[in-house]
Amino acid sequence: MVVALASQKSIYNSTNETVSLPQLSVTNLWWLANRQNILENISFSIEPGEFVGLLGPNGAGKSSLLRCIYRYIEPSKGQIEYSGKSIWQISQQEYAKQLAVVLQETPSHFNLSVSDVVSLGLLPNTSIWHRTSEKEKYLVEQAIEKVSMSEKKCQAFEQLSGGEKQRVLIARAIVQQPQLLIMDEPTSHLDIKYQIQIIELAKSLGITVLASFHDLNLASVFCDRLLVLNQGRLVANGTPNDVIDCALLHEVFGVNSDIKPHPQNKAPHITYFYSEKEQGDE
Amino acid sequence: MNKLSPVIALVSLILLSGLSILSALAFGAADINLLQTLGALRLSGSEPFVEQIIWQLRMPRTLLAFIAGGGLAVAGLMLQTVTRNPLADPYLFGISSGAAVGVVLFVAFSGAGIFHVAQLSLSVAAFIGSLVAMALLLAVSGTAVAKQVESMLLAGVALSFLFSAITSVTLYWSDPQAISAVLFWTMGSFSRAQWPHLVLPGILLVTVLLSILCLRRQFTALLLGDESAITLGVNVRRFRLLMLLLSSLLTASLVSVCGGIGFVGLMIPHVVRFFISQAQPLTPVLVCLLGGLFMVWVDVLSRLLLANQELPVGIITGLFGSLFFLGLMYMRQHRYQE
């Protein structure tokens, strides 16, 4: 039933999208690993300026989908286009000028400092002979300032807390000056204060964002549109109001819940039920 | 965490290197003092005998030591960075054992004693041996990005063992004189240095240094992991193969003229990292200078420690290098605890 619902929604969406060229479009994407379908026939597109959330239980294929989009893995079948051009036909460096990625976990070796890490955001925009100019140094300073890490810019990246690391990586993304920002579970392992801070920071950049989330309520409040993956398939695609309903939550996440509008911006807010209790009248 | 100014470090290392090379020229079997050395360098009114010793023996030898130290240290820095393994060093990947196989097979099958063969053919044999090792390694590590580091490291260790086994087997059937000669050679020595030996390693060292200076941002990007480097537009697989190729060529050219000198490539990059962030553009140059400086003094020690005899360089780097390194780690540990 959910699948049928989802396909209806995506038809509705795709008729809307024919007006202008989408910034990113994924068409009939398949990815197989060890002969298993990790991603099955995924199609969607993202318009400039949208803030899109990617949801799904563990192992649904969220990270794999994002990895296909930022070219870490090559899909088995299907097309990913950026501004109408296949991403595999754009040079890797050109693509990095358009798209910045904040990974879920970033290891750091040999004691790089915070400003070392942020300066790496300059890489896609510089040629090999290029010396870092004063303007670029200023850009790095500004980005560190923006994520309020100025006091720790000389510290080792490795010794930061999870939230601070995420902020530093967002600063790196800011330096990269991309048109599209991809974040793979930017809020996991963070205190709620920093979860909100990170997302508001990403939103304040005013660029297109595609981010995966564990916390459905957070996604519901902040995202313009939600994509829901389940077992490698895209099962819903629409505004939080369209997507989040009890049936889908039960089907995809295996939880019973009650949904009420959030007092602040009327986005659907989920309350989960625990143990064996059923959901009464619905 | 913040550290030395790279520019100050650079200036002092350049000065120290110059002074060290000068004073290293004054040490050796023949009694020549510093004044005579300076006289010979300016080619002004010194005895032709002194001049000849300085220009034909000690100068190429000292410069070779400097290039070898610098080259091995830079190769170590490159391999540690692209594999993100702090234990990587130029010999981990079987390049020196490949060279040893080349020499040993050449000596064994040419039938001549190691001192009767032309030096050049010995170097060529060693170089070919290293190239074979390198080709095998590159063939194995051309795989997908995700498994590249792992297969590089494992294949390197396997190749080292394979080559050591071949060397041992060949030596087992060779005469004792050849064994001791080959053994001395595998432990490293600059005693055979001549001007022509400097050409290839010198050119390669400059090329490698220039290329990592140009690619320094890509180089640093790898320290945050492959996935992150790819999102910054680095073609990680190709970049890593290029670095492996360059560092192997450099190492092979050095091994073929001065034998296997362990530990410099492993240690010097770490010593520099204790004081200066690896992301600094000057870091590769500093690593090179410090490696060269270290090796010049190691060579001096190898000439001085035993009267009328030379100690293999590899023994000294191992001995003093590890003691110094352990001391540095101990001090750093204490600094952290305070």
Side-chain angles (χ1 to χ4, degrees), chain B residues 3 269-276 325 328-329 332 335:
Chain B
K3 295 182 174 183
H270 287 299
V271 174
V272 171
R273 272 189 218 108
F274 282 155
F275 300 105
I276 285 166
F325 195 63
L328 204 58
M329 283 184 70
R332 211 169 72 121
R335 214 172 52 191

Side-chain angles (χ1 to χ4, degrees), chain A residues 67 70 92 111 116 172, chain B residues 1 214 217 227-228 234 277:
Chain A
R67 281 176 159 180
Y70 59 72
Q92 210 168 335
N111 271 332
D116 291 338
R172 189 184 77 175
Chain B
M1 134 133 205
C214 289
R217 293 189 185 88
E227 205 165 338
S228 158
V234 181
S277 160

